[in-house]
Amino acid sequence: MASQRGEGETTTTPAEAADKERARAIPEAAVARLAVYLRVLSGMSESGVTAVSSEELSQAAGVNAAKLRKDLSYIGSYGTRGVGYDVEVLVSHIERILGLTRNHSVAVVGIGNLGHALANYGGFPGRGFPVTALFDVDADLVGIPVGGIPVNHIDEITAICREREVSIGVIATPPPAAQSVCDRLVSAGVQCILNFAPVVLQVPDNVEVRKVDLAVEMQILSFHVARRADEAASVSVGNNGLGVDGMVIRP
Amino acid sequence: MASQRGEGETTTTPAEAADKERARAIPEAAVARLAVYLRVLSGMSESGVTAVSSEELSQAAGVNAAKLRKDLSYIGSYGTRGVGYDVEVLVSHIERILGLTRNHSVAVVGIGNLGHALANYGGFPGRGFPVTALFDVDADLVGIPVGGIPVNHIDEITAICREREVSIGVIATPPPAAQSVCDRLVSAGVQCILNFAPVVLQVPDNVEVRKVDLAVEMQILSFHVARRADEAASVSVGNNGLGVDGMVIRP
DNA sequence: TACCGCTTGTGAACGCATGCACAAAGTCGG
DNA sequence: CCGACTTTGTGCATGCGTTCACAAGCGGTA
Ligand SMILES: NC(=O)c1ccc[n+]([C@@H]2O[C@H](COP(=O)([O-])OP(=O)(O)OC[C@H]3O[C@@H](n4cnc5c(N)ncnc54)[C@H](O)[C@@H]3O)[C@@H](O)[C@H]2O)c1
Ligand SMILES: NC(=O)c1ccc[n+]([C@@H]2O[C@H](COP(=O)([O-])OP(=O)(O)OC[C@H]3O[C@@H](n4cnc5c(N)ncnc54)[C@H](O)[C@@H]3O)[C@@H](O)[C@H]2O)c1
């Protein structure tokens, strides 16, 4: 899985080496936000904006300006005091930190409702995540192209993932199949998995899993609805001020 | 615990009132995990399991046992020392905390690739999130039923959301339309929004937004790939220690 | 060149979340 | 009824992430 970018004798520039050392120290939460900043900056760049202040960028990204500056400081000092940041410079530095200077081949497993949507989605290839393989267990689906890629049978997963150097596996199968699919991806050398099935996957330490769980998202929203409803109720009815165990909740 | 003899003649039981007071104090991160516990517990319940220890449950949920116990302690003390937790009891308490004792009507806006998948998905209604309305701007889609629900035109959004008491709005439109759709949902009284469009939505304080951003998820995975690759590289090569950060950008 | 106003970068304080470790509280066998 | 054993619930320490506040640095201006 070495670098596939062959320019120059050395594989990394000094700036890259510096970035990479820094990468270790970037908080997980900041990484997620950097991805958002990158999208906002890309949009600005396309609109012809060349410079931006932390205040403007933080507004557009929906975060605190101080937090944004701290996040950017994790990747280095590329701003100009009194002026702001050069959009292009920031874009290229964030891209490098996020490892977007190389493409990450994506495989989608489970070409049902969700798998179809993902395979058809045009937003990934343009951002460095080409979908290069689709898998399903259903014989009727095998061979049919979805979003331009033919569906392969799940049994071919190891060979094809190796061959196409898949680095991200997306699981969109029913929950009972998810763990087995995950195991197959892992044994095919895939080290990153994005899981849509509402199942907790067991993986070795060297594999990174992120889950997208819509039911959980909705339940969190539900929790906030309930909390809000309570607040309204206790305000209108009158709060006796006593929680359980005599804890005083509100003044 | 759970004392408080009832002067709760209203719609809430004493236990509910106690829960609701606690809800205020539950950390956001714990709420997300409670939703996961709930799913695991529901599965156990269906499999006929009636009791579970924090150790077992934490394994199944993929978290630390101490963290699980702390999370559960936020909602009250419903375990039995030396034994564990009663599955049904835990399920009902978590459901109540998450506000799942009432149904939350869901509207999906943007019936394209993703919207179709969401509308067809059978996993929501069974969990208390019935999809009761679909909207799109495309006249060709209006009137066609998807997943059993006919698509309505976006212009009807206010009336229909009010009428069907929609509490969660799901945005699956292209990015440029997302803010405008969001504004319409808000003015229709929807206070919870789940956003799939890669856009930062601006909403009033009383509206809760959660976003699902697949590109961001992939970029986080990409970051970890890069980090891992660097570690491997720096172990084999060693660090040159030069911290000089020239503004070297690859042409 | 010297000054002024603006914006970055970051040290330091704070608050939230995690994980440990153990007393309290229960069960069960005898 | 007792004592050994099991598991919960939680105080506490630790670490991570966020926020504040301000000195340092830069461009513009006279
Ligand atoms: N559709 C949604 O909107 C939605 C929302 C939330 C979560 N999910 C989750 O995403 C997953 C997929 O949902 P869906 O609606 O697309 O389901 P689906 O039933 O439409 O599609 C599942 C696909 O997986 C294939 N499959 C089954 N076993 C397989 C295996 N062992 N290997 C490879 N492929 C296999 C099936 O043939 C089918 O094509 C489910 O776990 C679901 O819970 C979906
Ligand atoms: N499909 C995916 O897998 C995927 C993945 C990640 C993110 N997304 C995001 O989800 C969103 C939807 O993706 P998609 O692939 O379903 O797109 P799509 O183009 O297939 O569907 C968008 C739908 O929204 C409708 N629409 C457009 N403007 C509207 C408006 N003002 N009001 C109501 N409806 C409107 C269109 O008629 C269309 O039916 C996009 O923002 C996309 O970036 C999709």
Side-chain angles (χ1 to χ4, degrees), chain A residues 110-114 136-138 172-175 177 181 196-198 214, chain B residues 117-118 121:
Chain A
I111 311 301
N113 286 314
L114 193 54
D136 204 294
V137 76
D138 187 343
T173 65
V181 164
F196 285 89
L214 304 190
Chain B
L118 294 168
Y121 183 51

Side-chain angles (χ1 to χ4, degrees), chain B residues 6-246:
Chain B
E7 69 274 337
E9 294 83 358
T10 51
T11 51
T12 56
T13 68
E16 275 179 344
D19 285 348
K20 299 305 175 62
E21 284 304 317
R22 267 190 253 264
R24 230 179 295 276
I26 303 181
E28 186 80 14
V31 173
R33 288 190 297 268
L34 283 170
V36 175
Y37 306 153
L38 177 60
R39 194 180 51 228
V40 173
L41 286 164
S42 300
M44 288 178 169
S45 175
E46 279 167 25
S47 311
V49 178
T50 59
V52 67
S53 73
S54 64
E55 191 58 45
E56 293 165 322
L57 184 51
S58 70
Q59 288 271 329
V63 302
N64 181 302
K67 194 193 295 192
L68 177 130
R69 289 201 299 275
K70 179 144 293 204
D71 288 344
L72 292 182
S73 80
Y74 291 126
I75 69 174
S77 306
Y78 301 112
T80 306
R81 295 176 191 222
V83 177
Y85 301 89
D86 181 291
V87 173
E88 297 300 333
V89 168
L90 225 42
V91 164
S92 72
H93 281 282
I94 295 177
E95 280 182 344
R96 195 158 52 206
I97 288 286
L98 295 182
L100 303 177
T101 46
R102 68 178 282 265
N103 270 6
H104 297 269
S105 177
V106 174
V108 179
V109 188
I111 312 302
N113 286 314
L114 193 56
H116 269 86
L118 294 168
N120 281 319
Y121 183 51
F124 296 143
R127 296 224 171 265
F129 297 96
V131 177
T132 57
L134 307 177
F135 300 98
D136 203 293
V137 77
D138 186 344
D140 293 345
L141 281 168
V142 173
I144 295 174
V146 179
I149 316 270
V151 176
N152 285 103
H153 191 271
I154 182 75
D155 288 342
E156 301 182 85
I157 195 168
T158 304
I160 292 179
C161 284
R162 287 246 167 79
E163 175 199 322
R164 299 183 194 170
E165 295 183 320
V166 168
S167 52
I168 298 179
V170 177
I171 298 179
T173 65
Q179 183 64 57
S180 125
V181 164
C182 174
D183 293 343
R184 296 220 216 183
L185 283 167
V186 169
S187 69
V190 175
Q191 292 201 320
C192 295
I193 289 175
L194 186 55
N195 178 33
F196 285 88
V199 179
V200 179
L201 294 177
Q202 309 291 337
V203 294
D205 287 346
N206 64 330
V207 175
E208 192 81 23
V209 175
R210 295 193 64 86
K211 69 171 203 284
V212 175
D213 193 324
L214 304 191
V216 167
E217 297 296 330
M218 292 204 176
Q219 287 172 5
I220 295 172
L221 288 173
S222 167
F223 170 80
H224 287 292
V225 176
R227 200 179 54 83
R228 244 192 278 275
D230 298 338
E231 258 164 31
S234 62
V235 165
S236 63
V237 171
N239 184 11
N240 68 3
L242 285 181
V244 184
D245 51 8

